[in-house]
Amino acid sequence: MVVVNSPLSEVTETSVQANRSEFALKLQAVKTIVWRDKYLYLMLIPFILWYLIFAYKPMYGLQIAFKDYSLFKGITESPWVGFENFERFFRSEYFIRNLVNTFMINFWGLIFAFPAPIILALLLNEVKNMMFKKTVQTITYLPHFISVVIIAGIVTNFLAPTNGIVNIIIEKFGGEKINFLAMPEFFRTIYIGSMQIWKDVGYSAIIYLAAIAGINPALYEAAKMDGANRWKQMWHITLPGMLPTIMILLILNLGSFLEVGYESIILLYQPATYETADVINTYVYRAGLQGGNYEIGAAAGLFNSVVSLILVVLANRLSKKMTNVGLW
């Protein structure tokens, strides 16, 4: 029996060989690049290990949220209960209060704390005296590198009801001393002003100053020739040049909308201010760690993560529609 090679089989064999050759070339190119930058990849290994150990490995514990978890039985042996822990969390008498407080603190943070570094960067960009500019930058950067515990201690001492400097000033002007940290109506202002604005405004401004530095100086020269003053240059050149950076950081902020820094809140709040200070993360801390209800804490944490993911996706789509800028 004589086998005759058909034109179709020859074309198929040729295409397979071509694909193999192309794959071999790509593989060789990858090997060349990896070998050329081998030291950079070696430096990357600790960061990959950090993410694997501290970001991805803990995901195994998320199943606690769907189990009647027992420390003695462990994660694997604890029985499954489905969404019972989520139902307990949603039906909790504190759920609505904690959700509202979390939303309000983050909302006012976006209104007041998010624009603060943008405004600082714009003001620093207008300063011509380099000595004064660097001094202001240094002073505003420093609080970011101070521990949250120390910042909370400073705030507590400043607002102390008896010998705090704020109450001393109020008394000097004929007013009555106020126990600010024990009054629920003052907590959000204190938290946002100290932990989100004062502590991080200078450090966050670095990103916006870098974005301003990347704007083409020729645009400013052309605007000057057209008679634009400094205000118009800032409004029509600087701000549009910063917009992609602003949108990316806004998306990242929305991604952590329900993730309030519970460490600083725990250091500042007290039972008298739970009405406005108690958020989902502090509830997780009290119920999960202090109360031993680890499954409730895991359910609340997973709820936070799911909502944050939805907000990031929606914010990214909105940003791409409005500015053609997004995380992906």
Side-chain angles (χ1 to χ4, degrees):
M1 181 177 180
V2 179
V3 178
V4 180
N5 291 332
S6 65
L8 180 59
S9 64
E10 292 178 358
V11 171
T12 304
E13 186 177 353
T14 303
S15 62
V16 170
Q17 291 178 354
N19 289 335
R20 288 178 179 174
S21 300
E22 184 179 357
F23 177 77
L25 289 173
K26 289 182 178 179
L27 183 60
Q28 184 61 37
V30 170
K31 289 181 178 178
T32 303
I33 294 173
V34 171
W35 181 253
R36 183 192 64 193
D37 300 329
K38 55 184 179 295
Y39 296 113
L40 294 177
Y41 287 107
L42 286 174
M43 293 173 62
L44 189 63
I45 290 176
F47 298 97
I48 295 175
L49 291 176
W50 186 92
Y51 272 99
L52 290 176
I53 296 171
F54 296 104
Y56 287 95
K57 186 177 180 293
M59 289 183 183
Y60 174 78
L62 287 177
Q63 57 185 302
I64 294 175
F66 304 95
K67 289 190 171 189
D68 183 13
Y69 178 68
S70 170
L71 281 173
F72 303 100
K73 294 180 180 178
I75 297 177
T76 306
E77 300 299 327
S78 297
W80 293 92
V81 294
F83 292 96
E84 183 179 322
N85 294 322
F86 292 92
E87 293 177 4
R88 289 171 59 191
F89 173 60
F90 294 146
R91 291 176 181 175
S92 168
E93 59 180 321
Y94 304 115
F95 172 70
I96 298 298
R97 183 189 72 180
N98 295 339
L99 185 63
V100 170
N101 288 341
T102 305
F103 176 83
M104 292 303 297
I105 288 177
N106 279 293
F107 175 76
W108 291 120
L110 283 177
I111 297 297
F112 294 103
F114 182 76
I118 300 174
I119 296 171
L120 177 62
L122 291 172
L123 292 174
L124 289 174
N125 186 55
E126 298 299 320
V127 175
K128 301 304 179 185
N129 188 323
M130 294 304 297
M131 181 63 70
F132 177 75
K133 181 177 181 178
K134 291 184 180 297
T135 302
V136 172
Q137 284 179 311
T138 303
I139 293 173
T140 53
Y141 293 168
L142 283 178
H144 176 80
F145 301 99
I146 300 176
S147 170
V148 174
V149 178
I150 296 176
I151 294 290
I154 293 173
V155 173
T156 302
N157 288 330
F158 275 20
L159 301 178
T162 54
N163 57 353
I165 187 172
V166 175
N167 275 309
I168 291 174
I169 293 173
I170 292 175
E171 190 179 35
K172 292 294 184 182
F173 281 92
E176 294 183 0
K177 292 182 177 181
I178 303 171
N179 190 358
F180 290 98
L181 293 176
M183 302 183 71
E185 60 269 26
F186 288 120
F187 181 83
R188 292 170 185 163
T189 303
I190 294 170
Y191 174 78
I192 293 171
S194 60
M195 296 298 178
Q196 293 190 356
I197 296 180
W198 176 46
K199 187 176 187 300
D200 289 328
V201 65
Y203 188 79
S204 300
I206 296 175
I207 301 175
Y208 298 110
L209 288 170
I212 293 173
I215 299 175
N216 189 352
L219 296 175
Y220 293 102
E221 297 297 331
K224 287 180 183 178
M225 293 179 64
D226 290 337
N229 56 25
R230 296 297 300 177
W231 171 258
K232 290 183 178 179
Q233 291 176 39
M234 182 188 70
W235 188 256
H236 296 288
I237 299 176
T238 309
L239 275 176
M242 297 169 62
L243 188 59
T245 304
I246 293 172
M247 294 307 299
I248 292 295
L249 293 177
L250 178 60
I251 294 171
L252 293 175
N253 272 269
L254 289 175
S256 57
F257 195 75
L258 295 183
E259 296 290 337
V260 182
Y262 71 94
E263 301 96 339
S264 50
I265 291 182
I266 289 173
L267 291 168
L268 290 175
Y269 81 161
Q270 49 188 288
T273 58
Y274 279 178
E275 179 185 343
T276 57
D278 195 22
V279 295
I280 293 176
N281 282 342
T282 55
Y283 173 78
V284 170
Y285 168 76
R286 291 201 314 276
L289 295 179
Q290 292 185 331
N293 297 316
Y294 301 104
E295 61 274 16
I296 300 297
L302 186 57
F303 168 75
N304 262 5
S305 300
V306 171
V307 173
S308 298
L309 176 62
I310 294 172
L311 288 174
V312 166
V313 173
L314 293 177
N316 189 72
R317 288 187 178 181
L318 182 63
S319 176
K320 293 197 76 173
K321 284 185 179 181
M322 294 178 62
T323 64
N324 293 323
V325 175
L327 288 175
W328 65 86

